[in-house]
Amino acid sequence: MEQMLSRQEASEAVQDYGWRFLLGALRTSVPVGSLAQAIGLAADAVAVCGADADGHLRIDVRPDRAVFTLQSLDRAAVTARDVELARRIAAAAGESGFLTRPEIGTGAPRSVQILEIAVDALDIAGIRPFWKAVLGYTDEAGAEGPEDPLVDPVGQGPAVWFQQMDRARPQRNRIHFDICVPHDEAARRIETALAAGGRLVSATRAPAFWVLADLEDNEVCVTTWQGREG
């Protein structure tokens, strides 16, 4: 059951259960009418997964939907076990009168998705530690080198990966990150990011935000709720 599946194998295995394969994980959405219903579905999913729940299942519970993600976390990949768990969750939802499906419902804003952010870089090994520190991220399970993405250890934020450039890009950044952290976490986060190779661009608006950059001048703001009155 721990056999790792190819992308095509994983996609085809869950297609009929209303799940979709996205970036090394299986995901589905179940429309509901209340938060209580979503919590009930989540409890049912944990029950049918049994001892495998903690190592495979993540759930986003909201008043209008429950979004389920399955992945063998120790391998950062989809295995035959995840497919079996997807089948169980789909069956449990069906018994309660709900459907697992890749879209949220009629008129839904979008289907299930996983967001990635790419950073173009000449020296990936040089800037990756900075982004790991400033985002509070960790290496993806099984990562072996700088080409592997960084991931949020609690599964809330998008994955960040680095695309190799063949020449410098001197023009002004058109996109940057804002990382909103607790006010009493900002100093430690900034210190860690600077120690990882970043530099402080500006603190003129602190503690509302500090502007930092990696060694290739890709910018990020560390923000807090403080300093915004008026």
Side-chain angles (χ1 to χ4, degrees), residues 178-197:
D178 282 355
I179 312 300
C180 182
V181 302
H183 67 282
D184 52 359
E185 160 72 6
R188 190 200 67 80
R189 184 67 64 88
I190 292 167
E191 180 182 357
T192 303
L194 296 179

Side-chain angles (χ1 to χ4, degrees), residues 97-109:
F98 298 97
L99 293 176
T100 53
R101 55 195 189 190
E103 72 282 355
I104 297 169
T106 304

Side-chain angles (χ1 to χ4, degrees), residues 118-150:
V119 178
D120 292 342
L122 289 171
D123 181 7
I124 295 175
I127 72 169
R128 190 176 184 274
F130 167 82
W131 289 102
K132 181 177 179 180
V134 77
L135 292 169
Y137 271 25
T138 189
D139 295 319
E140 186 178 37
E144 297 179 352
E147 70 279 359
D148 292 303
L150 297 172

Side-chain angles (χ1 to χ4, degrees), residues 14-194:
V14 299
Q15 185 78 17
D16 293 339
Y17 303 145
W19 291 72
R20 294 294 182 270
F21 175 81
L22 297 169
L23 295 174
L26 305 177
R27 183 167 287 201
T28 192
S29 180
V30 181
V32 298
S34 68
L35 186 60
Q37 288 182 343
I39 292 172
L41 279 173
D44 290 344
V46 171
V48 298
C49 288
D52 289 322
D54 289 345
H56 296 260
L57 179 63
R58 296 192 299 274
I59 311 172
D60 179 359
V61 175
R62 303 191 179 202
D64 63 340
R65 78 198 74 160
V67 179
F68 298 90
T69 302
L70 284 167
Q71 184 188 62
S72 294
L73 299 179
D74 60 342
R75 301 190 180 194
V78 171
T79 67
R81 175 69 66 184
D82 298 302
V83 171
E84 170 59 21
L85 297 179
R87 184 195 66 78
R88 293 183 194 175
I89 293 171
E95 290 175 1
S96 297
F98 298 97
L99 293 176
T100 53
R101 55 195 189 190
E103 72 282 355
I104 297 169
T106 304
R110 62 167 175 79
S111 62
V112 292
Q113 68 178 32
I114 297 176
L115 178 63
E116 288 184 293
I117 296 174
V119 178
D120 292 342
L122 289 171
D123 181 7
I124 295 175
I127 72 169
R128 190 176 184 274
F130 167 82
W131 289 102
K132 181 177 179 180
V134 77
L135 292 169
Y137 271 25
T138 189
D139 295 319
E140 186 178 37
E144 297 179 352
E147 70 279 359
D148 292 303
L150 297 172
V151 296
D152 185 347
V154 297
Q156 293 178 325
V160 176
W161 64 282
F162 302 88
Q163 180 168 277
Q164 186 67 55
M165 297 173 63
D166 58 5
R167 61 184 182 275
R169 186 185 59 191
Q171 69 268 28
R172 184 180 184 275
N173 294 135
R174 298 289 299 273
I175 297 174
H176 70 271
F177 296 95
D178 282 355
I179 312 300
C180 182
V181 302
H183 67 282
D184 52 359
E185 160 72 6
R188 190 200 67 80
R189 184 67 64 88
I190 292 167
E191 180 182 357
T192 303
L194 296 179

Side-chain angles (χ1 to χ4, degrees), residues 205 208 225-230:
R205 294 290 304 276
W225 62 265
Q226 293 181 324
R228 298 178 182 272
E229 296 80 2

Side-chain angles (χ1 to χ4, degrees), residues 190-210:
I190 292 167
E191 180 182 357
T192 303
L194 296 179
R199 65 183 179 89
L200 180 64
V201 176
S202 174
T204 59
R205 294 290 304 276
F209 63 87
W210 294 257

